Amino acid sequence: MFCLYINTSEARYASIVVDANDGKILHSINADTLNYPASLTKLMTLFILFEALEKGTLTLKTELTTSYRASRAQPSKLGLRPGDKISVERAIFALIAKSANDV
């Protein structure tokens, strides 16, 4: 069974549960609403980050610099300002635990 939950700005909440064996929709709320992929974007960011760790181009201690645009991200954030530094390890925890948009 596959389950996907997405918090969105358009629908505020959307969910869908699909039986992976036959494709039957077991549950859905706002499944057809146009939604922004904020959570999916964070997952893809983590995926790319883990690839870079695996390749050795980054380490958990690598410092990332906060951009102006990231510092203005809403709604969830750590309060990072442009130019602030955060380690890759702390960035991972912030994305996973807080869903921080400024990371």
Side-chain angles (χ1 to χ4, degrees):
M1 189 176 299
F2 175 77
C3 181
L4 171 66
Y5 290 95
I6 303 173
N7 284 323
T8 65
S9 60
E10 179 86 12
R12 304 272 319 161
Y13 177 81
S15 67
I16 187 166
V17 179
V18 180
D19 187 319
N21 296 317
D22 63 14
K24 182 180 175 186
I25 296 174
L26 304 175
H27 165 83
S28 71
I29 297 174
N30 295 322
D32 296 323
T33 305
L34 180 61
N35 297 307
Y36 298 106
S39 295
L40 180 59
T41 301
K42 289 173 191 145
L43 287 174
M44 293 308 298
T45 299
L46 287 167
F47 179 80
I48 292 167
L49 186 57
F50 289 135
E51 272 189 338
L53 288 168
E54 189 174 86
K55 290 178 184 175
T57 54
L58 292 175
T59 71
L60 291 175
K61 303 258 185 260
T62 301
E63 293 283 316
L64 304 172
T65 304
T66 305
S67 69
Y68 175 82
R69 182 175 180 186
S71 72
R72 299 289 184 249
Q74 296 292 332
S76 178
K77 51 199 301 181
L78 297 176
L80 298 172
R81 294 183 215 156
D84 283 354
K85 305 260 188 207
I86 185 171
S87 69
V88 167
E89 183 175 39
R90 289 190 69 200
I92 290 169
F93 291 140
L95 278 170
I96 293 170
K98 185 165 174 46
S99 193
N101 289 326
D102 53 351
V103 170

